[in-house]
């Protein structure tokens, strides 16, 4: 099944002093979701934002709010992010020895659960968990900062994920997200390999011309791409 390509601007590269206006600008430009990067200074070296800013994003837009938790012990904060208005909550496989419990907790809190994999984590680590997820996030850079270069090996990894999802009967209904170094040059290959939710920070909010033009370029770059069948 072919899922529509969705573009999720990451506010990490937005002007935080004008955050509501930046979110509204992304929505007006045709964004599909708003991606919120939460970092704790432990799982990743950087520190960003928490539930209060997530709530401000929620109040600024009608779009789904997609929260990417790059934090240790994410189970401690799931309720707070769900209450702040997160539609999607994605946790990292690497910090969840009890992944089933964490994913169930996200659903009980009223959000849709996702699992993220770092570049060095194999898709096979998800085989026993794909029955419980609505989204898989393949990190295409090492998480922590915006503006890094796309890791080319991610394209093969997406194909392997597509096969695994097909084998487990989940290829039709799991969102496959990519995050890191996504722009009009890297997007066609990831979409062809099975990704359908494209997170982009610096390519959109840091575009040399405008967010509107950059979003249109990203959309154009992917609109004609055929998707692989597993
Ligand atoms: C990185 C974050 C990303 C980041 C992507 O750890 O998870 O969402 O904002 O930024 P770009 O698109 O600039 O690589
Ligand atoms: Zn992210």
């Amino acid at each position: 099944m072919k899922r529509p390509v969705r573009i999720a601007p990451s506010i990490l590269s937005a002007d935080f002093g004008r955050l509501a206006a930046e979110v509204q600008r992304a929505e007006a430009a045709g964004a599909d979701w708003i991606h919120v990067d939460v970092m704790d200074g432990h799982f990743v070296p950087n520190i960003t934002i928490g539930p209060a800013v997530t709530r401000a994003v929620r109040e600024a837009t009608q779009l789904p709010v997609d929260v990417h938790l790059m934090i240790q012990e994410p189970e401690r904060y799931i309720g707070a992010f769900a209450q702040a208005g997160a539609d999607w909550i994605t946790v990292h496989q690497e910090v969840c020895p009890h992944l089933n419990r964490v994913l169930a907790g996200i659903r009980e809190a009223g959000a849709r659960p996702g699992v993220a994999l770092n570049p060095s984590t194999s898709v096979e680590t998800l085989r026993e968990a794909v029955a419980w997820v609505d989204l898989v996030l393949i990190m295409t850079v090492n998480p922590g900062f915006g503006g890094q270069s796309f890791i080319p090996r991610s394209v093969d990894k997406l194909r392997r994920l597509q096969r695994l999802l097909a084998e487990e009967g989940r290829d039709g209904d799991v969102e496959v997200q990519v995050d890191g170094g996504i722009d009009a040059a890297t997007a066609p290959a990831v979409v062809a390999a099975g990704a359908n939710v494209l997170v982009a920070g610096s390519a959109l909010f840091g575009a040399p011309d405008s967010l509107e033009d950059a979003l249109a370029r990203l959309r154009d770059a992917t609109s004609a791409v055929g998707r692989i069948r597993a």
Side-chain angles (χ1 to χ4, degrees):
M1 196 191 103
K2 225 179 153 183
R3 306 173 69 69
V5 171
R6 302 187 195 283
I7 297 178
S10 161
I11 60 163
L12 190 60
S13 294
D15 177 351
F16 275 56
R18 312 170 45 251
L19 188 54
E22 293 273 84
V23 167
Q24 282 155 6
R25 199 166 152 222
E27 180 170 357
D32 299 294
W33 296 4
I34 300 295
H35 184 82
V36 176
D37 285 305
V38 177
M39 306 187 189
D40 66 352
H42 292 278
F43 177 60
V44 291
N46 201 0
I47 298 178
T48 56
I49 64 173
V53 174
T54 302
R55 182 178 295 280
V57 171
R58 167 73 291 154
E59 287 169 0
T61 182
Q62 300 295 316
L63 297 178
V65 173
D66 168 34
V67 172
H68 177 194
L69 294 182
M70 286 161 276
I71 63 176
Q72 288 177 354
E73 300 184 90
E75 60 278 5
R76 293 174 57 193
Y77 299 98
I78 282 163
F81 282 100
Q83 278 192 356
D87 297 280
W88 292 87
I89 298 179
T90 296
V91 295
H92 269 262
Q93 189 270 6
E94 297 84 4
V95 292
C96 291
H98 305 294
L99 189 55
N100 182 1
R101 188 184 297 155
V102 176
L103 296 171
I106 294 172
R107 222 180 271 285
E108 275 161 29
R112 297 187 66 186
V115 181
L117 297 184
N118 278 340
S120 61
T121 305
S122 166
V123 296
E124 269 305 318
T125 62
L126 278 192
R127 186 173 291 277
E128 307 306 325
V130 290
W132 311 312
V133 299
D134 289 350
L135 179 150
V136 175
L137 165 53
I138 299 295
M139 289 305 301
T140 42
V141 300
N142 287 295
F145 301 95
Q148 303 180 79
S149 299
F150 177 82
I151 297 174
R153 192 181 161 88
S154 313
V155 174
D156 265 352
K157 187 171 179 180
L158 284 162
R159 291 195 194 102
R160 287 193 292 278
L161 173 65
Q162 211 56 42
R163 278 200 293 276
L164 186 150
L165 291 175
E167 284 161 15
E168 301 299 326
R170 293 301 312 275
D171 51 326
D173 61 346
V174 172
E175 310 281 348
V176 177
Q177 186 174 57
V178 283
D179 184 2
I182 301 298
D183 58 19
T186 54
V190 293
V191 170
N196 75 298
V197 185
L198 309 179
V199 176
S202 53
L204 297 178
F205 287 108
D209 42 4
S210 72
L211 169 70
E212 290 76 8
D213 289 340
L215 211 141
R217 272 198 301 277
L218 195 50
R219 181 91 59 204
D220 288 350
T222 56
S223 58
V225 179
R227 218 81 55 77
I228 60 153
R229 296 188 61 83

